[in-house]
Amino acid sequence: MSGRKKRKITKAERLKQLQEEEERRQREEEEARVKYEKEEMERLEIQRIEKEKWHQLEAKDLERRNEELEELYLLEGCFPEAEKLKRDTRLLSQWKHYIQCDGSPDPSISPEINTFISLWKEETNETLEEVIAKSKLVLNLIDKLKLILLETPPYDLEDKNIIQYQGSILELQELLHLKFNIATEILLRQASTLADLDSGNMEKVIQDENVTLYVWANLKKNPRYKSVRFSETQIGFEIPRILATSDIALRLLHTHYDHVTPLCPVPTSLQEHTATVTHFVKDEVKNEEAAISKELQEEGKQRENESSSVQEEETKFEEQGDSEVQMSFVQEEPEATKFELEMKLLSETVLSAQLLLIENANEKPCFFEDNEVDLCQFTTLGGVYHLDILELPPQCKPMKGWMIVEILKEGLQKYIYPPETTEDVETENAFPPIEVTLEVQENVIFFEDPVVARWDAEGKHWQTDGISNVSYKSEERLITFSLETFGPVTLIQDSHINMPFQSWELRPLDVNKVLLTVTTVFTEIQIQIKENLCMLASIKLNNKKHSSILEGKWMTPISFICALKEAGLNIFPSGHSHFYVVINYKDPLVEMKAYRQLALLSSAFAFGWSKWNTVCNSKKVIVKLKEHLTEEPTQKPNWTNLMFSGDRAQRLKINENSEAFSEALQEETEFHSTLYHMVKDFASKKAMEKIRSSNCQFIDSVCYMLLSTRLLSYS
């Protein structure tokens, strides 16, 4: 054989090989055990050192907590100070109205508004043009009353005032609509004299900033004339044969406001909650005043005893001078203390009102009908379209130089369509739904195709049944649908279509001026805030700039929020919004404290959305921040993540690019009780000067916008 056979391993060699392998395995295990024990000891030692360091930092934080909270309390004195200025502004506006003497009533004064309503009721034979001109004043009065109810804090509003203001609003709304009906009747009496030469029917179109009116009178009753279009537009109706041959008029009154939806009730729970806090602090004020009064009485008795032992040779003049000094001292001290207590009371009530702005409702509103519109979920936009089929009143007739007209006692009457009884009608489909084409108001943004809703007069709510064949042309802003019965119609949109937000940023622009950017699925909204005013800076739809009539208009925060909502740009959650949106729930007290302190720092620091805010628990919030002293945005911002739990602030080691969440403290940083003292550790001197010199109204406005948008819970 050419190759040698492989030698077999003997039993002794095999045993020796196994023994060597076992020894090697044991040696490796021992080395691994020693290494593990060493690493574990090192880990435990690091953990012990970190724990010890953590306890030291906690102890240090606890030691200076009272001092930091006292300083924060002084800084947050801007909120009651701003509220006091708002009170003064409200009083000043009443005085300005009084000295203007322009003939318009003060809607908050019951006798004045009642006199105005009574005098207007007595005015007769007003034309549509005259009613529209007068409506500007009426709408202004209604807006003023609504603004009073919104801007006046609950602790300054009495129940009787709420009832009075809401009653005046309803009276003005009803009277305005009545005046439109009367003026329409006057117009329709003259329909024959205003008839079009070509069609033989009357058509009237009046356009105004608040109202657009279309009226068509069927004078010829031509059965072939079924398509009614106004002023060579596509706006109008497709009417059935039975209406084309009847003495009727069609009216489309598009009010750019909504006087149909019931007024929102002023929440009583808010009043009760605030009243509890107010009474508690008032009791404290009374106790303090009683204590001061007692001290002053004791001091007075002591001074009397001292004055009785004064030598007789002192002059009368000197005695009088001493008594004057004593009186001034006695008066100055209680006045100063009383002012401090009043500010404390105001501070507590403002705090309570701010907390209630972000509290979630406990129960979802109940609705009993399937087609009823939930006004907590949807919003009416673009005003109300009052669609009416009217009976044509008797026409004016010329006679010997006079115009003779029969005036019906019952006034303008609606034509019932379809009629209540249809026994005389041969065909089943004699009363088909009427096709309506409307123009959507150009200043309103619909992010999806609008939903049509009609008003149920009996149930006093909007509902979506009885409407079919809806089609929307977004470019032409025309919506067409078929309606079974005529009445008020509106367009609705989901109130939470832009929630939750994708991101947000609050950036300083100038002294007492910031830019708030909120990014949603559909839009990016930029809001400028300065002093006690807000302004829409820009809107982007699908990454393209969109123009709006609100851009460049400075308004108070509440007026601004109302204007944005009416334009379809609702980024302001309500107490019921959490039932309709998946939110990142945060404890209301922690959230409120965060907004107050972010507002305090907003003049020198930029803040933004952090992805870690959704990971931490509900008792903590996380934001990213950086010092920002220039107006232009930083190209490569160096953000720092801050975590805040309401009573502790800390800088986090992680950043936005970290892979996992950790509450580990950034090296060489400490705990603090407030965000203000946290940033004080690394902020520049210029930044701290800007913070301390910020205007109280500016801080209050920033805080109000943060509370209204609830960025920490809805992003």
Side-chain angles (χ1 to χ4, degrees), residues 124 406 457:
T124 56
E406 179 187 353

Side-chain angles (χ1 to χ4, degrees), residues 499-539:
M499 301 176 204
F501 315 128
Q502 290 188 323
S503 65
W504 61 273
E505 184 179 309
L506 181 69
R507 174 167 58 86
L509 288 179
D510 202 350
V511 180
N512 296 319
K513 190 176 182 181
V514 295
L515 180 72
L516 174 63
T517 304
V518 180
T519 306
T520 74
V521 174
F522 295 101
T523 183
E524 181 189 275
I525 300 172
Q526 291 193 326
I527 301 165
Q528 285 188 20
I529 308 167
K530 70 171 184 180
E531 295 178 356
N532 63 333
L533 299 170
C534 301
M535 179 194 76
L536 182 64
S538 73
I539 311 171

Side-chain angles (χ1 to χ4, degrees), residues 354-510:
Q354 288 178 340
L355 182 59
L356 284 157
L357 274 174
I358 58 172
E359 279 196 350
N360 295 324
N362 295 322
E363 294 181 2
K364 187 177 179 179
C366 295
F367 295 91
F368 304 102
E369 294 187 18
D370 293 337
N371 298 303
E372 183 177 345
V373 175
D374 180 356
L375 289 176
C376 291
Q377 184 180 4
F378 294 94
T379 305
T380 64
L381 290 178
V384 176
Y385 302 85
H386 296 266
L387 305 174
D388 296 298
I389 306 174
L390 306 168
E391 291 183 2
L392 204 59
Q395 297 298 294
C396 297
K397 294 178 182 177
M399 188 176 289
K400 297 181 180 179
W402 294 81
M403 293 297 288
I404 307 298
V405 63
E406 179 187 353
I407 298 175
L408 301 176
K409 187 179 180 181
E410 57 271 16
L412 192 65
Q413 294 295 302
K414 288 188 178 181
Y415 182 92
I416 307 300
Y417 180 90
E420 294 174 359
T421 57
T422 58
E423 295 175 1
D424 300 334
V425 181
E426 296 177 1
T427 58
E428 291 182 4
N429 201 25
F431 304 100
I434 300 171
E435 186 182 288
V436 182
T437 302
L438 304 175
E439 185 178 26
V440 178
Q441 194 177 336
E442 62 179 352
N443 299 324
V444 174
I445 298 173
F446 283 96
F447 296 98
E448 292 178 346
D449 288 357
V451 177
V452 184
R454 66 177 185 86
W455 179 248
D456 180 2
E458 290 183 8
K460 301 292 181 185
H461 57 250
W462 295 103
Q463 56 188 56
T464 54
D465 62 337
I467 301 162
S468 57
N469 304 324
V470 181
S471 66
Y472 178 56
K473 297 177 181 177
S474 56
E475 291 184 5
E476 291 130 354
R477 299 187 71 81
L478 291 172
I479 188 163
T480 303
F481 54 91
S482 297
L483 198 61
E484 291 178 6
T485 57
F486 268 31
V489 165
T490 191
L491 305 177
I492 60 174
Q493 179 170 258
D494 188 346
S495 304
H496 311 98
I497 198 165
N498 284 310
M499 301 176 204
F501 315 128
Q502 290 188 323
S503 65
W504 61 273
E505 184 179 309
L506 181 69
R507 174 167 58 86
L509 288 179
D510 202 350

Side-chain angles (χ1 to χ4, degrees), residues 76-140:
E76 289 187 338
C78 61
F79 294 113
E81 191 180 337
E83 185 56 43
K84 198 168 183 298
L85 286 171
K86 283 190 269 189
R87 279 183 179 178
D88 295 342
T89 303
R90 287 194 293 270
L91 292 171
L92 186 63
S93 66
Q94 290 181 342
W95 172 247
K96 282 181 177 177
H97 183 275
Y98 176 76
I99 61 175
Q100 271 180 352
C101 298
D102 59 357
S104 64
D106 185 340
S108 64
I109 299 173
S110 185
E112 287 192 29
I113 195 68
N114 289 341
T115 302
F116 173 81
I117 290 169
S118 299
L119 290 173
W120 197 28
K121 281 180 180 177
E122 292 172 4
E123 292 181 24
T124 56
N125 298 325
E126 289 175 289
T127 63
L128 281 166
E129 288 79 4
E130 289 171 337
V131 172
I132 288 172
K134 189 71 168 278
S135 71
K136 290 181 173 63
L137 172 59
V138 176
L139 293 173
N140 185 39

Side-chain angles (χ1 to χ4, degrees), residues 257-366:
Y257 48 83
D258 180 2
H259 286 177
V260 177
T261 305
L263 297 173
C264 295
V266 176
T268 53
S269 60
L270 189 144
Q271 289 178 298
E272 289 167 5
H273 186 90
T274 311
T276 306
V277 176
T278 305
H279 289 316
F280 173 77
V281 183
K282 277 184 176 176
D283 290 340
E284 196 175 334
V285 172
K286 285 179 182 176
N287 293 336
E288 291 283 349
E289 286 180 344
I292 292 165
S293 178
K294 190 176 180 181
E295 285 177 12
L296 291 174
Q297 285 176 4
E298 288 175 1
E299 286 178 11
K301 286 178 182 178
Q302 190 178 350
R303 288 194 183 96
E304 282 177 11
N305 294 333
E306 288 174 0
S307 62
S308 63
S309 62
V310 174
Q311 295 179 359
E312 292 179 3
E313 58 266 18
E314 286 183 340
T315 62
K316 189 176 178 181
F317 176 77
E318 286 173 347
E319 288 177 1
Q320 188 178 352
D322 288 342
S323 64
E324 285 176 0
V325 170
Q326 289 170 9
M327 284 298 293
S328 63
F329 174 77
V330 169
Q331 287 172 357
E332 281 174 11
E333 188 175 339
E335 283 298 321
T337 312
K338 191 175 180 181
F339 176 76
E340 287 176 10
L341 290 169
E342 282 178 358
M343 292 306 285
K344 185 178 180 181
L345 168 63
L346 193 55
S347 179
E348 292 290 340
T349 48
V350 167
L351 192 73
S352 175
Q354 288 178 340
L355 182 59
L356 284 157
L357 274 174
I358 58 172
E359 279 196 350
N360 295 324
N362 295 322
E363 294 181 2
K364 187 177 179 179
C366 295

